[in-house]
Amino acid sequence: MVETTLDQNAQKVTEQHLTDDHTDLLVVGGDGTVNEAVNGMGSHTPALSILSSGTGNDFIKNIELGNNIDEQLDTALNGQLIDIDLGLCNRRKFLNGVGLGFDGQIVRDMLHRKTWLTGHAAYYYHVLRILASYQERTFEFSLDNNPHQKDLILMTIGNGTTFGGGFKLTPDAKLDDGLLDVCLIGAISAARRFLNVPRLSNGTHLKLKEIEVIQTKTLEIKENPLLEGHIDGEYLGKPPFSISLLPKALKVRVRK
């Protein structure tokens, strides 16, 4: 076992220690650590096992690992293998998704505005702090080479279903269908934003007229200095972003 540090992240550790002789990679951590480890795999992609110990742990909400450390260890040792898609954003792999606009701003703010809260509570705090004041931005993007321009509060590109420790922004997304689910939230009043936050947690927000979900294989987002982005819950920066999918590119161990 190799421990990661601030100076030597999981991507570097994986690059340095993973060899063609390894059949499995066990990652202890949350979404960010798992993302780094997967990006450190290179061309050799052994089976991925996860012991969850992060703050949001959104990716594992798409799969069954077990409810405690003993069950997750059993899964890592004896679990069955499934093949899942990987996303690709500007040549960086992602398992769960990419977000721009409001949720990208939340991730950026969490880097610079510390709170004693952790996990979903910390994310929820930042959501409520800027929810009323955040203004929609103009997004210029192409879905499977079809150009669009929309004024949006956020755009979430989901390989998985859940973001921010519990918001089901793309509730119908599947890890193995060869498609990305893109959630678009348009202009919505401050009052309706607060009233409908619970819908984002239970995945019923798709009924709102300001929201639509579109499936695509590729997505191009043009440069915009007003937009912030995240990838698997880690700050990504500003577009342009070129996003695509690698079908069935990763093997993951899950409970039988």
Side-chain angles (χ1 to χ4, degrees):
M1 178 176 288
V2 182
E3 183 179 4
T4 61
T5 68
L6 292 176
D7 296 321
Q8 189 178 42
N9 63 30
Q11 181 171 342
K12 293 178 181 177
V13 167
T14 305
E15 290 172 345
Q16 291 171 357
H17 295 275
L18 188 67
T19 71
D20 292 342
D21 295 328
H22 290 106
T23 61
D24 288 71
L25 175 65
L26 173 61
V27 179
V28 182
D31 294 320
T33 305
V34 174
N35 176 285
E36 290 177 356
V38 168
N39 277 279
M41 285 183 176
S43 59
H44 177 47
T45 53
L48 174 69
S49 297
I50 302 170
L51 299 183
S52 61
S53 67
T55 52
N57 295 315
D58 287 315
F59 171 68
I60 66 167
K61 294 178 175 67
N62 299 278
I63 56 178
E64 179 57 48
L65 293 182
N67 297 319
N68 54 55
I69 186 65
D70 290 332
E71 290 183 353
Q72 291 187 5
L73 277 171
D74 179 68
T75 300
L77 294 172
N78 305 304
Q80 67 181 15
L81 289 175
I82 61 171
D83 294 310
I84 70 166
D85 303 332
L86 281 177
L88 198 62
C89 178
N90 292 4
R91 297 198 292 182
R92 182 167 186 84
K93 299 171 187 173
F94 63 88
L95 293 90
N96 201 43
V98 172
L100 291 92
F102 179 79
D103 54 344
Q105 186 68 48
I106 295 298
V107 172
R108 184 183 185 280
D109 285 2
M110 290 177 71
L111 288 175
H112 300 286
R113 291 176 177 266
K114 300 300 182 182
T115 173
W116 58 271
L117 298 168
T118 60
H120 184 58
Y123 190 92
Y124 208 84
Y125 163 78
H126 286 280
V127 166
L128 296 178
R129 188 179 62 80
I130 69 169
L131 184 61
S133 61
Y134 189 84
Q135 297 296 311
E136 58 268 16
R137 271 71 161 156
T138 298
F139 284 66
E140 293 184 75
F141 59 99
S142 295
L143 299 168
D144 287 338
N145 297 317
N146 296 311
H148 299 267
Q149 180 174 308
K150 294 180 180 289
D151 292 335
L152 303 172
I153 292 173
L154 68 79
M155 171 191 286
T156 294
I157 303 98
N159 187 38
T161 61
T162 310
F163 302 83
F167 292 102
K168 295 183 179 179
L169 295 178
T170 52
D172 297 323
K174 294 179 174 59
L175 294 174
D176 60 356
D177 64 354
L179 294 168
L180 295 163
D181 284 36
V182 183
C183 177
L184 308 174
I185 300 183
I188 183 170
S189 69
R192 279 177 57 76
R193 293 180 194 184
F194 282 104
L195 287 172
N196 288 291
V197 165
R199 285 178 174 264
L200 298 176
S201 295
N202 60 33
T204 61
H205 58 289
L206 303 187
K207 299 177 181 178
L208 300 175
K209 62 180 174 34
E210 298 90 349
I211 298 176
E212 62 178 321
V213 172
I214 304 171
Q215 291 187 316
T216 187
K217 292 183 178 179
T218 63
L219 174 61
E220 301 288 334
I221 303 167
K222 290 188 177 181
E223 182 177 2
N224 187 332
L226 299 179
L227 293 176
E228 307 285 355
H230 77 81
I231 184 167
D232 283 347
E234 300 296 317
Y235 183 64
L236 178 61
K238 303 175 186 295
F241 299 138
S242 179
I243 301 174
S244 58
L245 204 63
L246 301 170
K248 306 292 182 67
L250 182 68
K251 292 185 181 298
V252 179
R253 290 200 182 276
V254 298
R255 274 184 82 73
K256 294 180 179 179

PDB file of all heavy atoms in Angstrom, residues 215-241:
ATOM      1  N   GLN A 215     -29.021  13.580 -24.160  1.00  0.00           N
ATOM      2  CA  GLN A 215     -27.955  12.583 -24.250  1.00  0.00           C
ATOM      3  C   GLN A 215     -27.089  12.854 -25.473  1.00  0.00           C
ATOM      4  O   GLN A 215     -27.583  13.259 -26.528  1.00  0.00           O
ATOM      5  CB  GLN A 215     -28.533  11.176 -24.326  1.00  0.00           C
ATOM      6  CG  GLN A 215     -29.184  10.719 -23.026  1.00  0.00           C
ATOM      7  CD  GLN A 215     -29.601   9.274 -23.065  1.00  0.00           C
ATOM      8  OE1 GLN A 215     -30.174   8.815 -24.046  1.00  0.00           O
ATOM      9  NE2 GLN A 215     -29.312   8.537 -22.004  1.00  0.00           N
ATOM     10  N   THR A 216     -25.793  12.628 -25.310  1.00  0.00           N
ATOM     11  CA  THR A 216     -24.850  12.894 -26.394  1.00  0.00           C
ATOM     12  C   THR A 216     -23.627  12.006 -26.221  1.00  0.00           C
ATOM     13  O   THR A 216     -23.371  11.475 -25.141  1.00  0.00           O
ATOM     14  CB  THR A 216     -24.433  14.379 -26.404  1.00  0.00           C
ATOM     15  OG1 THR A 216     -23.653  14.661 -27.557  1.00  0.00           O
ATOM     16  CG2 THR A 216     -23.627  14.735 -25.171  1.00  0.00           C
ATOM     17  N   LYS A 217     -22.856  11.874 -27.286  1.00  0.00           N
ATOM     18  CA  LYS A 217     -21.570  11.177 -27.212  1.00  0.00           C
ATOM     19  C   LYS A 217     -20.408  12.147 -27.121  1.00  0.00           C
ATOM     20  O   LYS A 217     -19.361  11.815 -26.564  1.00  0.00           O
ATOM     21  CB  LYS A 217     -21.400  10.266 -28.432  1.00  0.00           C
ATOM     22  CG  LYS A 217     -22.347   9.079 -28.459  1.00  0.00           C
ATOM     23  CD  LYS A 217     -22.071   8.180 -29.655  1.00  0.00           C
ATOM     24  CE  LYS A 217     -22.991   6.965 -29.651  1.00  0.00           C
ATOM     25  NZ  LYS A 217     -22.742   6.078 -30.827  1.00  0.00           N
ATOM     26  N   THR A 218     -20.577  13.342 -27.693  1.00  0.00           N
ATOM     27  CA  THR A 218     -19.518  14.358 -27.654  1.00  0.00           C
ATOM     28  C   THR A 218     -20.113  15.707 -27.306  1.00  0.00           C
ATOM     29  O   THR A 218     -21.288  15.992 -27.593  1.00  0.00           O
ATOM     30  CB  THR A 218     -18.784  14.464 -29.001  1.00  0.00           C
ATOM     31  OG1 THR A 218     -19.707  14.899 -30.015  1.00  0.00           O
ATOM     32  CG2 THR A 218     -18.174  13.130 -29.403  1.00  0.00           C
ATOM     33  N   LEU A 219     -19.285  16.546 -26.704  1.00  0.00           N
ATOM     34  CA  LEU A 219     -19.710  17.880 -26.291  1.00  0.00           C
ATOM     35  C   LEU A 219     -18.514  18.824 -26.376  1.00  0.00           C
ATOM     36  O   LEU A 219     -17.449  18.527 -25.826  1.00  0.00           O
ATOM     37  CB  LEU A 219     -20.245  17.832 -24.859  1.00  0.00           C
ATOM     38  CG  LEU A 219     -20.621  19.137 -24.170  1.00  0.00           C
ATOM     39  CD1 LEU A 219     -21.739  19.842 -24.922  1.00  0.00           C
ATOM     40  CD2 LEU A 219     -21.057  18.867 -22.733  1.00  0.00           C
ATOM     41  N   GLU A 220     -18.689  19.915 -27.085  1.00  0.00           N
ATOM     42  CA  GLU A 220     -17.659  20.948 -27.181  1.00  0.00           C
ATOM     43  C   GLU A 220     -18.203  22.221 -26.535  1.00  0.00           C
ATOM     44  O   GLU A 220     -19.299  22.683 -26.889  1.00  0.00           O
ATOM     45  CB  GLU A 220     -17.304  21.230 -28.638  1.00  0.00           C
ATOM     46  CG  GLU A 220     -16.786  20.032 -29.423  1.00  0.00           C
ATOM     47  CD  GLU A 220     -15.381  19.624 -29.028  1.00  0.00           C
ATOM     48  OE1 GLU A 220     -14.624  20.509 -28.550  1.00  0.00           O
ATOM     49  OE2 GLU A 220     -15.038  18.445 -29.208  1.00  0.00           O
ATOM     50  N   ILE A 221     -17.467  22.790 -25.592  1.00  0.00           N
ATOM     51  CA  ILE A 221     -17.885  24.008 -24.909  1.00  0.00           C
ATOM     52  C   ILE A 221     -16.871  25.096 -25.207  1.00  0.00           C
ATOM     53  O   ILE A 221     -15.667  24.931 -24.957  1.00  0.00           O
ATOM     54  CB  ILE A 221     -17.982  23.784 -23.391  1.00  0.00           C
ATOM     55  CG1 ILE A 221     -18.952  22.633 -23.109  1.00  0.00           C
ATOM     56  CG2 ILE A 221     -18.438  25.054 -22.680  1.00  0.00           C
ATOM     57  CD1 ILE A 221     -18.898  22.118 -21.698  1.00  0.00           C
ATOM     58  N   LYS A 222     -17.348  26.213 -25.730  1.00  0.00           N
ATOM     59  CA  LYS A 222     -16.457  27.281 -26.163  1.00  0.00           C
ATOM     60  C   LYS A 222     -15.912  28.070 -24.974  1.00  0.00           C
ATOM     61  O   LYS A 222     -16.463  28.054 -23.874  1.00  0.00           O
ATOM     62  CB  LYS A 222     -17.191  28.216 -27.131  1.00  0.00           C
ATOM     63  CG  LYS A 222     -17.480  27.601 -28.485  1.00  0.00           C
ATOM     64  CD  LYS A 222     -18.017  28.636 -29.454  1.00  0.00           C
ATOM     65  CE  LYS A 222     -18.243  28.033 -30.844  1.00  0.00           C
ATOM     66  NZ  LYS A 222     -18.749  29.042 -31.816  1.00  0.00           N
ATOM     67  N   GLU A 223     -14.851  28.786 -25.236  1.00  0.00           N
ATOM     68  CA  GLU A 223     -14.194  29.601 -24.217  1.00  0.00           C
ATOM     69  C   GLU A 223     -15.163  30.609 -23.620  1.00  0.00           C
ATOM     70  O   GLU A 223     -15.940  31.250 -24.331  1.00  0.00           O
ATOM     71  CB  GLU A 223     -13.006  30.328 -24.841  1.00  0.00           C
ATOM     72  CG  GLU A 223     -12.211  31.180 -23.875  1.00  0.00           C
ATOM     73  CD  GLU A 223     -11.003  31.817 -24.531  1.00  0.00           C
ATOM     74  OE1 GLU A 223     -10.812  31.623 -25.749  1.00  0.00           O
ATOM     75  OE2 GLU A 223     -10.243  32.498 -23.828  1.00  0.00           O
ATOM     76  N   ASN A 224     -15.122  30.729 -22.297  1.00  0.00           N
ATOM     77  CA  ASN A 224     -15.946  31.709 -21.595  1.00  0.00           C
ATOM     78  C   ASN A 224     -15.307  31.981 -20.239  1.00  0.00           C
ATOM     79  O   ASN A 224     -15.331  31.130 -19.353  1.00  0.00           O
ATOM     80  CB  ASN A 224     -17.374  31.189 -21.414  1.00  0.00           C
ATOM     81  CG  ASN A 224     -18.308  32.246 -20.847  1.00  0.00           C
ATOM     82  OD1 ASN A 224     -17.889  33.148 -20.140  1.00  0.00           O
ATOM     83  ND2 ASN A 224     -19.588  32.137 -21.159  1.00  0.00           N
ATOM     84  N   PRO A 225     -14.742  33.183 -20.036  1.00  0.00           N
ATOM     85  CA  PRO A 225     -14.058  33.483 -18.778  1.00  0.00           C
ATOM     86  C   PRO A 225     -14.987  33.606 -17.580  1.00  0.00           C
ATOM     87  O   PRO A 225     -14.522  33.656 -16.433  1.00  0.00           O
ATOM     88  CB  PRO A 225     -13.370  34.823 -19.068  1.00  0.00           C
ATOM     89  CG  PRO A 225     -14.181  35.444 -20.156  1.00  0.00           C
ATOM     90  CD  PRO A 225     -14.663  34.296 -20.997  1.00  0.00           C
ATOM     91  N   LEU A 226     -16.306  33.620 -17.815  1.00  0.00           N
ATOM     92  CA  LEU A 226     -17.264  33.742 -16.719  1.00  0.00           C
ATOM     93  C   LEU A 226     -17.682  32.388 -16.151  1.00  0.00           C
ATOM     94  O   LEU A 226     -18.400  32.333 -15.152  1.00  0.00           O
ATOM     95  CB  LEU A 226     -18.516  34.496 -17.187  1.00  0.00           C
ATOM     96  CG  LEU A 226     -18.301  35.926 -17.685  1.00  0.00           C
ATOM     97  CD1 LEU A 226     -19.624  36.523 -18.137  1.00  0.00           C
ATOM     98  CD2 LEU A 226     -17.671  36.783 -16.594  1.00  0.00           C
ATOM     99  N   LEU A 227     -17.236  31.307 -16.773  1.00  0.00           N
ATOM    100  CA  LEU A 227     -17.641  29.974 -16.342  1.00  0.00           C
ATOM    101  C   LEU A 227     -16.521  29.285 -15.571  1.00  0.00           C
ATOM    102  O   LEU A 227     -15.354  29.361 -15.944  1.00  0.00           O
ATOM    103  CB  LEU A 227     -18.020  29.113 -17.548  1.00  0.00           C
ATOM    104  CG  LEU A 227     -19.267  29.533 -18.329  1.00  0.00           C
ATOM    105  CD1 LEU A 227     -19.442  28.637 -19.553  1.00  0.00           C
ATOM    106  CD2 LEU A 227     -20.503  29.493 -17.452  1.00  0.00           C
ATOM    107  N   GLU A 228     -16.904  28.602 -14.510  1.00  0.00           N
ATOM    108  CA  GLU A 228     -15.987  27.752 -13.746  1.00  0.00           C
ATOM    109  C   GLU A 228     -16.442  26.303 -13.917  1.00  0.00           C
ATOM    110  O   GLU A 228     -17.646  26.032 -14.052  1.00  0.00           O
ATOM    111  CB  GLU A 228     -16.000  28.121 -12.262  1.00  0.00           C
ATOM    112  CG  GLU A 228     -15.746  29.581 -11.954  1.00  0.00           C
ATOM    113  CD  GLU A 228     -14.290  29.996 -12.116  1.00  0.00           C
ATOM    114  OE1 GLU A 228     -13.452  29.118 -12.386  1.00  0.00           O
ATOM    115  OE2 GLU A 228     -13.995  31.191 -11.956  1.00  0.00           O
ATOM    116  N   GLY A 229     -15.489  25.378 -13.888  1.00  0.00           N
ATOM    117  CA  GLY A 229     -15.823  23.983 -14.062  1.00  0.00           C
ATOM    118  C   GLY A 229     -15.211  23.082 -13.010  1.00  0.00           C
ATOM    119  O   GLY A 229     -14.232  23.443 -12.352  1.00  0.00           O
ATOM    120  N   HIS A 230     -15.814  21.913 -12.830  1.00  0.00           N
ATOM    121  CA  HIS A 230     -15.220  20.879 -11.981  1.00  0.00           C
ATOM    122  C   HIS A 230     -15.255  19.546 -12.731  1.00  0.00           C
ATOM    123  O   HIS A 230     -16.054  19.353 -13.655  1.00  0.00           O
ATOM    124  CB  HIS A 230     -15.967  20.750 -10.649  1.00  0.00           C
ATOM    125  CG  HIS A 230     -17.280  20.013 -10.748  1.00  0.00           C
ATOM    126  ND1 HIS A 230     -17.390  18.639 -10.762  1.00  0.00           N
ATOM    127  CD2 HIS A 230     -18.561  20.467 -10.842  1.00  0.00           C
ATOM    128  CE1 HIS A 230     -18.647  18.276 -10.860  1.00  0.00           C
ATOM    129  NE2 HIS A 230     -19.389  19.370 -10.919  1.00  0.00           N
ATOM    130  N   ILE A 231     -14.372  18.644 -12.329  1.00  0.00           N
ATOM    131  CA  ILE A 231     -14.341  17.297 -12.892  1.00  0.00           C
ATOM    132  C   ILE A 231     -14.272  16.319 -11.726  1.00  0.00           C
ATOM    133  O   ILE A 231     -13.364  16.384 -10.895  1.00  0.00           O
ATOM    134  CB  ILE A 231     -13.152  17.124 -13.872  1.00  0.00           C
ATOM    135  CG1 ILE A 231     -13.165  15.760 -14.522  1.00  0.00           C
ATOM    136  CG2 ILE A 231     -11.812  17.405 -13.196  1.00  0.00           C
ATOM    137  CD1 ILE A 231     -12.218  15.643 -15.714  1.00  0.00           C
ATOM    138  N   ASP A 232     -15.278  15.457 -11.616  1.00  0.00           N
ATOM    139  CA  ASP A 232     -15.397  14.528 -10.486  1.00  0.00           C
ATOM    140  C   ASP A 232     -15.241  15.248  -9.150  1.00  0.00           C
ATOM    141  O   ASP A 232     -14.594  14.757  -8.217  1.00  0.00           O
ATOM    142  CB  ASP A 232     -14.379  13.393 -10.609  1.00  0.00           C
ATOM    143  CG  ASP A 232     -14.803  12.349 -11.642  1.00  0.00           C
ATOM    144  OD1 ASP A 232     -15.974  12.381 -12.076  1.00  0.00           O
ATOM    145  OD2 ASP A 232     -13.966  11.501 -12.014  1.00  0.00           O
ATOM    146  N   GLY A 233     -15.820  16.464  -9.061  1.00  0.00           N
ATOM    147  CA  GLY A 233     -15.827  17.206  -7.810  1.00  0.00           C
ATOM    148  C   GLY A 233     -14.579  18.001  -7.513  1.00  0.00           C
ATOM    149  O   GLY A 233     -14.513  18.674  -6.478  1.00  0.00           O
ATOM    150  N   GLU A 234     -13.582  17.962  -8.410  1.00  0.00           N
ATOM    151  CA  GLU A 234     -12.356  18.730  -8.224  1.00  0.00           C
ATOM    152  C   GLU A 234     -12.334  19.900  -9.207  1.00  0.00           C
ATOM    153  O   GLU A 234     -12.786  19.777 -10.348  1.00  0.00           O
ATOM    154  CB  GLU A 234     -11.127  17.839  -8.448  1.00  0.00           C
ATOM    155  CG  GLU A 234     -11.039  16.647  -7.504  1.00  0.00           C
ATOM    156  CD  GLU A 234     -10.871  17.050  -6.051  1.00  0.00           C
ATOM    157  OE1 GLU A 234     -10.074  17.985  -5.778  1.00  0.00           O
ATOM    158  OE2 GLU A 234     -11.539  16.456  -5.186  1.00  0.00           O
ATOM    159  N   TYR A 235     -11.796  21.032  -8.757  1.00  0.00           N
ATOM    160  CA  TYR A 235     -11.800  22.225  -9.596  1.00  0.00           C
ATOM    161  C   TYR A 235     -11.061  21.980 -10.909  1.00  0.00           C
ATOM    162  O   TYR A 235      -9.956  21.446 -10.926  1.00  0.00           O
ATOM    163  CB  TYR A 235     -11.162  23.401  -8.848  1.00  0.00           C
ATOM    164  CG  TYR A 235     -11.194  24.687  -9.632  1.00  0.00           C
ATOM    165  CD1 TYR A 235     -12.402  25.289  -9.971  1.00  0.00           C
ATOM    166  CD2 TYR A 235     -10.014  25.303 -10.042  1.00  0.00           C
ATOM    167  CE1 TYR A 235     -12.438  26.472 -10.698  1.00  0.00           C
ATOM    168  CE2 TYR A 235     -10.044  26.483 -10.760  1.00  0.00           C
ATOM    169  CZ  TYR A 235     -11.261  27.060 -11.091  1.00  0.00           C
ATOM    170  OH  TYR A 235     -11.287  28.232 -11.824  1.00  0.00           O
ATOM    171  N   LEU A 236     -11.697  22.376 -12.012  1.00  0.00           N
ATOM    172  CA  LEU A 236     -11.169  22.109 -13.345  1.00  0.00           C
ATOM    173  C   LEU A 236     -10.638  23.358 -14.033  1.00  0.00           C
ATOM    174  O   LEU A 236      -9.696  23.298 -14.820  1.00  0.00           O
ATOM    175  CB  LEU A 236     -12.268  21.472 -14.207  1.00  0.00           C
ATOM    176  CG  LEU A 236     -11.958  21.143 -15.667  1.00  0.00           C
ATOM    177  CD1 LEU A 236     -10.805  20.137 -15.756  1.00  0.00           C
ATOM    178  CD2 LEU A 236     -13.204  20.582 -16.359  1.00  0.00           C
ATOM    179  N   GLY A 237     -11.241  24.513 -13.757  1.00  0.00           N
ATOM    180  CA  GLY A 237     -10.842  25.746 -14.425  1.00  0.00           C
ATOM    181  C   GLY A 237     -11.933  26.235 -15.359  1.00  0.00           C
ATOM    182  O   GLY A 237     -13.114  25.916 -15.196  1.00  0.00           O
ATOM    183  N   LYS A 238     -11.542  26.991 -16.351  1.00  0.00           N
ATOM    184  CA  LYS A 238     -12.482  27.609 -17.282  1.00  0.00           C
ATOM    185  C   LYS A 238     -12.395  26.941 -18.655  1.00  0.00           C
ATOM    186  O   LYS A 238     -11.346  26.439 -19.030  1.00  0.00           O
ATOM    187  CB  LYS A 238     -12.170  29.107 -17.405  1.00  0.00           C
ATOM    188  CG  LYS A 238     -12.187  29.873 -16.072  1.00  0.00           C
ATOM    189  CD  LYS A 238     -11.759  31.327 -16.265  1.00  0.00           C
ATOM    190  CE  LYS A 238     -11.622  32.043 -14.930  1.00  0.00           C
ATOM    191  NZ  LYS A 238     -12.920  32.163 -14.235  1.00  0.00           N
ATOM    192  N   PRO A 239     -13.530  26.929 -19.393  1.00  0.00           N
ATOM    193  CA  PRO A 239     -13.484  26.349 -20.738  1.00  0.00           C
ATOM    194  C   PRO A 239     -12.630  27.215 -21.664  1.00  0.00           C
ATOM    195  O   PRO A 239     -12.305  28.348 -21.310  1.00  0.00           O
ATOM    196  CB  PRO A 239     -14.965  26.341 -21.149  1.00  0.00           C
ATOM    197  CG  PRO A 239     -15.615  27.392 -20.324  1.00  0.00           C
ATOM    198  CD  PRO A 239     -14.836  27.476 -19.038  1.00  0.00           C
ATOM    199  N   PRO A 240     -12.213  26.655 -22.832  1.00  0.00           N
ATOM    200  CA  PRO A 240     -12.907  25.616 -23.602  1.00  0.00           C
ATOM    201  C   PRO A 240     -12.640  24.196 -23.106  1.00  0.00           C
ATOM    202  O   PRO A 240     -11.552  23.887 -22.648  1.00  0.00           O
ATOM    203  CB  PRO A 240     -12.354  25.806 -25.017  1.00  0.00           C
ATOM    204  CG  PRO A 240     -10.962  26.343 -24.794  1.00  0.00           C
ATOM    205  CD  PRO A 240     -11.086  27.237 -23.590  1.00  0.00           C
ATOM    206  N   PHE A 241     -13.682  23.357 -23.258  1.00  0.00           N
ATOM    207  CA  PHE A 241     -13.605  21.951 -22.912  1.00  0.00           C
ATOM    208  C   PHE A 241     -14.091  21.106 -24.084  1.00  0.00           C
ATOM    209  O   PHE A 241     -15.110  21.419 -24.709  1.00  0.00           O
ATOM    210  CB  PHE A 241     -14.463  21.616 -21.691  1.00  0.00           C
ATOM    211  CG  PHE A 241     -14.069  22.342 -20.439  1.00  0.00           C
ATOM    212  CD1 PHE A 241     -15.038  22.870 -19.602  1.00  0.00           C
ATOM    213  CD2 PHE A 241     -12.744  22.474 -20.085  1.00  0.00           C
ATOM    214  CE1 PHE A 241     -14.689  23.528 -18.440  1.00  0.00           C
ATOM    215  CE2 PHE A 241     -12.363  23.131 -18.919  1.00  0.00           C
ATOM    216  CZ  PHE A 241     -13.344  23.663 -18.093  1.00  0.00           C
TER     217      PHE A 241
END
